[in-house]
Amino acid sequence: MSVPIIELTDVVKSFGPVSVLKGVSLRAYPGKVTALVGDNGAGKSTLIKGLAGVQPYDSGSVRFDGEEVSLHSPRDASRLGVEVVYQDLALCDNLDIVQNMFLGREETRLGTFDEGRMEREASDTLRSLSVRTVKSVRQKVSSLSGGQRQTVAIARAVLKKARVVILDEPTAALGVAQTEQVLALVRRLADQGVAVIIISHNLADVFAVADHISVLYLGQMVADLETRATTRDDVVGYITGTKTMGVSA
């Protein structure tokens, strides 16, 4: 578990004259939750889009299982087992849970959709994550709560045999009970050996679930911390730029 699945080293990304990522390094470990935090404009979204292959980095190296790889498209990332659950979840309200989990990669048999197999695999995936809040995998997504929708989106990534799951603000706009359910699911996901990267502005959630906290400030990684060895005040200091590693402003 001491060897990272994903390791970014000195990645750079600019948009015209604007430098967004200025030599950022990040590691994500199997079975661990890494929180990526920072103020708006710190570069979090750009960093994740590079990992997802949506906006390739200009320079720097990306290693997966110790081997240098290139991420030029979302397909490259998906082949490696990198899945991103974006804040909008990208679910279709008019489809049920099974149809959403297999959307675009449906199982077929004798030229038609193998509904029985897809239903079994969807149910097995939810069961493996100890999800008990969904009554039926044939429920329409439009009938689900915010927490249940987040659960379906995470389960879809698991179904794809993801080794790295990136969650963009997974508890945004959720109530207290639903937030607890999603955080418990994140922890169970890591317990299965998946490397989880969670982007969040909610430091209470970060401290509840993360093993490591990486802080971006104006396109630079200013802190890489063990959660148990730091405090919320320290993290806020790094986020706002009033604190640097070993020095307080």
Side-chain angles (χ1 to χ4, degrees):
M1 291 298 183
S2 60
V3 178
I5 289 183
I6 282 279
E7 184 172 14
L8 307 180
T9 304
D10 296 329
V11 295
V12 172
K13 181 68 179 179
S14 297
F15 297 97
V18 180
S19 180
V20 180
L21 299 177
K22 307 168 185 176
V24 173
S25 298
L26 175 73
R27 290 178 292 274
Y29 296 86
K32 300 292 184 183
V33 179
T34 299
L36 180 63
V37 301
D39 209 348
N40 292 333
K44 302 186 301 297
S45 294
T46 301
L47 186 67
I48 293 311
K49 286 177 181 177
L51 259 180
V54 176
Q55 294 174 341
Y57 304 123
D58 297 333
S59 63
S61 70
V62 181
R63 291 184 176 274
F64 192 89
D65 276 342
E67 299 288 331
E68 189 158 350
V69 297
S70 296
L71 298 174
H72 294 300
S73 70
R75 185 168 295 179
D76 290 339
S78 185
R79 269 197 295 262
L80 292 172
V82 178
E83 296 291 339
V84 183
V85 180
Y86 292 103
Q87 195 168 344
D88 64 6
L89 303 181
L91 298 176
C92 297
D93 282 354
N94 61 319
L95 301 180
D96 64 31
I97 292 172
V98 175
Q99 292 167 327
N100 268 280
M101 287 177 68
F102 281 90
L103 190 61
R105 53 193 184 87
E106 292 81 1
E107 300 284 355
T108 58
R109 183 172 179 271
L110 301 177
T112 60
F113 290 160
D114 192 341
E115 295 288 350
R117 179 179 175 183
M118 289 190 291
E119 187 169 322
R120 285 193 302 274
E121 290 188 16
S123 297
D124 289 347
T125 300
L126 290 169
R127 195 177 301 114
S128 75
L129 293 169
S130 300
V131 174
R132 299 184 180 89
T133 59
V134 174
K135 293 179 180 177
S136 168
V137 292
R138 287 303 180 182
Q139 281 182 265
K140 290 285 182 68
V141 163
S142 59
S143 72
L144 301 180
S145 68
Q148 289 171 327
R149 288 170 182 246
Q150 187 68 245
T151 295
V152 171
I154 293 172
R156 180 173 58 188
V158 174
L159 189 64
K160 294 180 180 180
K161 310 300 181 187
R163 298 188 62 203
V164 178
V165 174
I166 302 166
L167 305 172
D168 184 12
E169 299 286 355
T171 60
L174 296 186
V176 174
Q178 293 180 343
T179 293
E180 287 183 359
Q181 292 170 5
V182 170
L183 293 180
L185 180 58
V186 170
R187 191 68 258 172
R188 288 196 293 272
L189 190 59
D191 289 343
Q192 293 185 359
V194 176
V196 181
I197 300 174
I198 179 172
I199 303 169
S200 181
H201 283 93
N202 190 320
L203 291 186
D205 291 354
V206 167
F207 275 84
V209 77
D211 299 290
H212 302 277
I213 302 173
S214 296
V215 186
L216 271 175
Y217 178 72
L218 297 180
Q220 294 181 304
M221 193 67 76
V222 294
D224 185 11
L225 312 161
E226 276 195 61
T227 306
R228 63 185 179 183
T230 191
T231 66
R232 194 178 305 193
D233 286 345
D234 281 344
V235 174
V236 170
Y238 292 121
I239 290 172
T240 57
T242 61
K243 183 179 178 68
T244 57
M245 291 299 286
V247 180
S248 296

